[in-house]
Amino acid sequence: MARTNAHDRLRRMELLAVQMKQEAHCTVKDLAQQHGVSMRTIARDLSLMREQGMQIDADRGRGGGVRLDRNWGVGRMNLAYPEAVDLLISIAVAEKMDSPMFLASLESVRRQLVASFSPEKRSKVTRLKSRILIGVTASTYVQASANSPPKRVVQRLHQSFINQEVLEIGYQREDGVSSERQIEPHYLLLKYPIWYVVAFDRLRNGPRIFRCDRIGAATMTGARFQLMPKDAFQPSLAEDDLSL
C-alpha cells in the first residue's frame, strides 16, 4: 500500500507541476478537487515540491492561488501507460494519413515509446493500432454537419474500445431520429475529420457504423466482447459516404 501511495504522489506531483505552469490561476482547493484528494494532501505535495527546488509562488489571503515559475522546466516527460498508448496511436494515425508535415521526428518518438513498453504491452498496442482504420477524406457535405462529441462520451468510448467492453449509447441519426443502442466497438474509422465507430449493434443484431459526434450519451455496461474480423464489417465499410 505504501508503495502504491508513493507512486500516486509522484505522479500527482508531476501533473501539478505541469498544471501550475500552464494555468494562470490555480488554488489549493481547486487542485484538491481535480485530483480527488484533500487540501492538506495538496499542501504537503507543494511543500515537498518546494523542497525539491521548484519555485512555487503563492498569493496571500483567502482564495489565493499557487503557480510555478514559468521559467522553470518541468523535467522529462513521464507518461502513464494509457497516455503513452494514446500518443503512440496518434503517431500511427498521422503516419497512415501520410501527411508530409511534422513527420520527420515521429519515427524516433515512436521507437522510444515502444521501447518503454514490456513485450506484453507492445503486443497489446500493436493490436490496438490494427483496429484503427484510415479512410478517404469525408465529403464536404459530411464535414458541414460535423460537431465535437461531449468529452465524457469520448472518454467512455475510448475506454470501451481499449477494454473491449460493451457500451450503451444514445444515438441521433442524420434525420434527427434518436435511439438507444448497445454496441461493441470493434474498430475506429477516421475519414478526416470525422471519426466513426465500427461496431456490432446488439439490439439490431448486426454490424453498424456510427458517427462519433452523433453519440450524445454513453454508459459502460461491464460486459466484455470478443473481437470480430474486419471482414465481418466489410459491406458497411464499402459505403462511399458514411453520413449515417
Side-chain angles (χ1 to χ4, degrees):
M1 182 63 71
R3 183 176 180 180
T4 300
N5 290 340
H7 179 272
D8 291 345
R9 165 160 284 185
L10 288 173
R11 179 61 181 161
R12 187 170 60 247
M13 288 167 58
E14 290 172 352
L15 295 175
L16 287 172
V18 173
Q19 190 172 357
M20 287 189 296
K21 187 173 183 181
Q22 291 180 340
E23 298 186 12
H25 185 80
C26 298
T27 67
V28 172
K29 181 178 180 180
D30 289 341
L31 292 172
Q33 291 176 344
Q34 292 170 21
H35 292 274
V37 297
S38 67
M39 293 174 61
R40 180 176 297 181
T41 295
I42 292 294
R44 284 198 295 262
D45 290 346
L46 296 177
S47 177
L48 184 56
M49 292 165 71
R50 288 189 180 97
E51 291 177 7
Q52 293 176 342
M54 294 188 186
Q55 186 173 337
I56 299 175
D57 301 322
D59 298 330
R60 295 181 180 275
R62 295 186 60 184
V66 290
R67 67 182 65 84
L68 182 63
D69 190 320
R70 291 187 179 276
N71 293 320
W72 178 272
V74 296
R76 67 183 180 86
M77 186 163 50
N78 187 14
L79 297 176
Y81 172 66
E83 294 170 332
V85 169
D86 284 353
L87 180 55
L88 189 58
I89 291 176
S90 296
I91 291 173
V93 169
E95 290 175 335
K96 285 184 178 180
M97 292 183 68
D98 199 24
S99 171
M101 300 296 291
F102 311 115
L103 291 180
S105 301
L106 284 187
E107 176 62 23
S108 174
V109 174
R110 184 176 61 80
R111 284 199 305 267
Q112 293 179 62
L113 284 171
V114 170
S116 70
F117 295 151
S118 67
E120 180 183 356
K121 288 183 177 178
R122 288 179 203 169
S123 177
K124 181 178 180 180
V125 171
T126 299
R127 291 195 299 271
L128 285 173
K129 287 165 56 180
S130 70
R131 295 170 58 199
I132 297 179
L133 314 176
I134 306 298
V136 298
T137 300
S139 68
T140 303
Y141 171 76
V142 172
Q143 291 188 45
S145 62
N147 293 298
S148 297
K151 184 177 180 180
R152 65 184 181 278
V153 169
V154 173
Q155 291 172 336
R156 289 169 186 167
L157 179 57
H158 178 275
Q159 181 181 351
S160 173
F161 174 73
I162 290 180
N163 297 334
Q164 292 180 217
E165 183 174 339
V166 178
L167 192 66
E168 188 171 296
I169 64 170
Y171 190 74
Q172 186 176 57
R173 294 188 331 204
E174 182 182 15
D175 58 10
V177 175
S178 298
S179 60
E180 301 294 324
R181 310 287 187 99
Q182 281 194 356
I183 66 170
E184 302 172 359
H186 289 262
Y187 300 91
L188 294 177
L189 168 66
L190 174 62
K191 299 188 73 173
Y192 185 83
I194 310 295
W195 279 98
Y196 298 84
V197 54
V198 182
F200 183 85
D201 187 339
R202 288 194 167 189
L203 298 184
R204 302 298 190 273
N205 195 33
R208 293 290 188 278
I209 298 181
F210 302 93
R211 266 181 58 166
C212 293
D213 61 343
R214 292 204 175 124
I215 301 176
T219 303
M220 308 299 296
T221 66
R224 303 294 294 272
F225 65 86
Q226 294 295 318
L227 192 65
M228 295 169 58
K230 294 175 188 175
D231 291 346
F233 301 93
Q234 198 56 49
S236 297
L237 291 172
E239 295 180 20
D240 292 333
D241 189 7
L242 299 174
S243 57
L244 296 176

